[in-house]
Amino acid sequence: MLMKDLPALVKDHEARVGEIDREIKALVKRRAAHTRFIEEHSPSIAPARQIPADILFSILHASVLKESSPISLPLISRKHPVVVASHVCPEWRKLTLSLPLLWSDIVISIPPRPYAPFKPYRAIREKPLTGDARVLYEEDVVIWEGRIERLKDAITTWIKRSGSCPLGITFAFDECMRDWSPRPPVDPKAESLMAEIISLLTGVSARWKRVNFNLDLERTTSPFLRLLDCPPDELENLEEFHLTFRFRWSSNVDYDSDDDLPMLPDIVRNLKQKPLNPRITLFEAPSLRSLKVDHLWSNISIPVNWGGLTELCLGDCVLIDLIKPSESESSKPNITVVQLFTLLGLCPNLVRFAIDLNLRE
């Protein structure tokens, strides 16, 4: 190779390198096109997309299947198994939205109210919160109201998507403030949202098949009592009624000065002597088969179709024939042996009976 030929050779190699670079760019472009095609079409042949609709329904239904306790059912939220499944792909979403049965169990737990900053209760009533304490408390209230509003929207969605299916309703709320926390003022917006939620549920009471209410109340005018007061002629489909009902109070609430809160001893005395609450019309459901009542006061005159029951659970009771209730047990239902066997005699079709008898040594 002569020196005079070297420049021509360099140019020739440079041209070849340029061609290779152009080929590389073309290959990269072709590779990107192939990769894009794979990414766009791989989901269509994914194993999950090949599951027959009936098998997929069985899997989804099993994920929300009613188990031994309604508490084990998933709460309605964005993390609910059916909601998660509906966001996997368009086909899964179409399937989940076309199956009302997947949306027929509505499990609701109302988040607890925010606590006001700790101060003596009378100081809260007589002097409004100021400064940083007020700002922090109002921020908590706004967050809580937002959660309640989102919950109301979720309930609306669930009811709509459940079509005309019979419903299972599980509802839990504790409106009682703890003894160490001052009672905040009534929040009109929150009260309105609560009333809307209750109206949504009672508006479909004709579709109730299973209801499980766990209520801790401290007001005789609580709007949640409306859940227990549905017209009996709208409860023809109700087969299971599970009720845990407690009436509590907070030691920092001034019951003497609140018109809607009668004197505490009268409340306790009335609840012990009367058949629970005359507004609990769900006992009158004609098709009732399963009745579970915790804190049931010993009075079998409540209007239940005892002969139709196949399951009866009475929860925690004190058998006063054997022991004298202690002060700590004074709020528990008292029952005698005669009352117990009289009650069982009213239920000839009973298959399962449970009672937690408090028998101290």
Side-chain angles (χ1 to χ4, degrees), residues 35-49:
T35 302
R36 186 166 55 252
F37 181 89
I38 293 171
E39 292 174 349
E40 291 175 352
H41 295 85
S42 289
S44 300
I45 60 173
R49 299 288 287 273

Side-chain angles (χ1 to χ4, degrees), residues 36 47 156 184 211 225 255 298 304:
R36 186 166 55 252
T156 302
V211 296
L225 289 172
Y255 285 89
S298 55
V304 174

Side-chain angles (χ1 to χ4, degrees), residues 109-115 134-155 173 184-197:
S109 180
I110 302 292
R113 294 179 296 183
Y115 296 133
R134 181 181 181 86
V135 172
L136 291 174
Y137 175 67
E138 290 180 347
E139 288 178 353
D140 288 342
V141 170
V142 170
I143 294 173
W144 180 65
E145 289 175 346
R147 294 177 65 187
I148 299 297
E149 192 152 13
R150 289 191 295 273
L151 181 60
K152 183 201 73 173
D153 294 339
I155 295 171
F173 181 58
V186 174
D187 182 350
K189 181 178 179 180
E191 291 285 307
S192 175
L193 289 171
M194 297 290 192
E196 290 182 45
I197 288 176

Side-chain angles (χ1 to χ4, degrees), residues 296-314:
L296 173 64
W297 280 262
S298 55
N299 193 322
I300 61 176
S301 63
I302 54 179
V304 174
N305 178 21
W306 300 105
L309 294 182
T310 58
E311 180 180 32
L312 176 62
C313 301
L314 297 184

Side-chain angles (χ1 to χ4, degrees), residues 41 49 66 78 176 271 275 278 335:
H41 295 85
R49 299 288 287 273
K66 184 178 185 299
R78 294 179 180 178
C176 307
L271 287 175
I335 193 167

Side-chain angles (χ1 to χ4, degrees), residues 150-164:
R150 289 191 295 273
L151 181 60
K152 183 201 73 173
D153 294 339
I155 295 171
T156 302
T157 299
W158 245 261
I159 291 175
K160 180 179 179 181
R161 292 179 179 178
S162 65
S164 58

